[in-house]
Amino acid sequence: MFNPAPIDLTGKKCFVTGASGGIGMASVSHFGALGANVFATDLEKNFKGTADYRPFNLSKKDDLDAVCEWISEICPDVLLNNAAVFDMGSVLDANLDQFDHLFRINVRAFYAILQATAKSMVSLGKSGSIINMASQAGHRGEALVAHYCATKAAVISYTQSAALALAPNKIRVNAISPGVIDTPMWKHVDSLFAKFEGKEIGQKKREVGEEVPLGHMGNPNDVAKVAVFLASEQSGYMTAQTLCVDGGNVLR
């Protein structure tokens, strides 16, 4: 007998990091609209949303420990592991300070939060969905984005390893690789390209949008809708996968 999988998240506890950014905020809204109880964190002290929100700086040990403790208290059904930072520099000028900064958030804090969530799920013996935010940058190196690309490649690798380790516990682990998404972060990205490539402000953003096979940049809702899919029973037989939400930029 055909039994369609539900898309609603009523009663699910969803934990979102990087919740003040474009993708994080859109995901908080989508999760909440589908009935989830949403818990969220970011650097911002003033959060515009209905989630249970607490500000933390994931680069600081005490704050990261506090987030992991909060996760153990909540025992979420869904994690959107979204917090990340961006910077640029080729292998000739991307120094170790930049390396430490990007890896501290994009890999170290990311892993600690993944592990804390997995432990909380296992302790209750319940299934769950962990969604990690990768990037098209994790599928290929880029001349001016050496460290960032490496951090997002690590996210994809950890997603696969965690999925295999947690499969016996019925915990699914997948990732999303956004392409060029029109978020507030792009103002920062665009300014860095202007600096390193000698472009006018706004030029790089326009160029990358035109180069996407679908002809335009994505928006945060494009990614949030895929996060909903991975959080719901619609994706109940998927794990260890990385879904590219990039308008066709990365062919896999």
Side-chain angles (χ1 to χ4, degrees), residues 175-212:
I176 300 173
S177 280
V180 287
I181 307 298
D182 194 359
T183 68
M185 180 187 279
W186 249 97
K187 183 177 181 180
H188 173 57
V189 175
D190 187 75
S191 68
L192 288 172
F193 273 108
K195 171 186 174 182
F196 281 93
E197 295 186 343
K199 297 181 182 292
E200 296 179 358
I201 295 295
Q203 181 180 349
K204 186 67 175 185
K205 182 178 179 180
R206 182 176 66 255
E207 289 174 351
V208 297
E210 292 171 350
E211 291 168 0
V212 174

Side-chain angles (χ1 to χ4, degrees), residues 116-220:
T117 303
K119 285 183 175 181
S120 73
M121 291 175 175
V122 170
S123 70
L124 292 182
K126 68 178 181 180
S127 59
S129 175
I130 294 174
I131 308 160
N132 298 320
M133 198 60 66
S135 168
Q136 69 176 25
H139 297 276
R140 62 188 184 210
E142 296 184 23
L144 291 174
V145 199
H147 293 330
Y148 182 77
C149 288
T151 65
K152 291 303 183 177
V155 169
I156 294 170
S157 182
Y158 273 119
T159 295
Q160 295 170 351
S161 296
L164 296 176
L166 296 171
N169 302 98
K170 308 303 180 186
I171 298 169
R172 298 182 295 110
V173 188
N174 293 288
I176 300 173
S177 280
V180 287
I181 307 298
D182 194 359
T183 68
M185 180 187 279
W186 249 97
K187 183 177 181 180
H188 173 57
V189 175
D190 187 75
S191 68
L192 288 172
F193 273 108
K195 171 186 174 182
F196 281 93
E197 295 186 343
K199 297 181 182 292
E200 296 179 358
I201 295 295
Q203 181 180 349
K204 186 67 175 185
K205 182 178 179 180
R206 182 176 66 255
E207 289 174 351
V208 297
E210 292 171 350
E211 291 168 0
V212 174
L214 286 183
H216 59 88
M217 295 181 78
N219 68 67

Side-chain angles (χ1 to χ4, degrees), residues 15 65-76 116-117 119-121 123-124:
F15 195 93
D65 289 345
V67 169
C68 292
E69 179 62 29
W70 190 25
I71 289 170
S72 70
E73 295 169 0
I74 295 166
C75 294
T117 303
K119 285 183 175 181
S120 73
M121 291 175 175
S123 70
L124 292 182

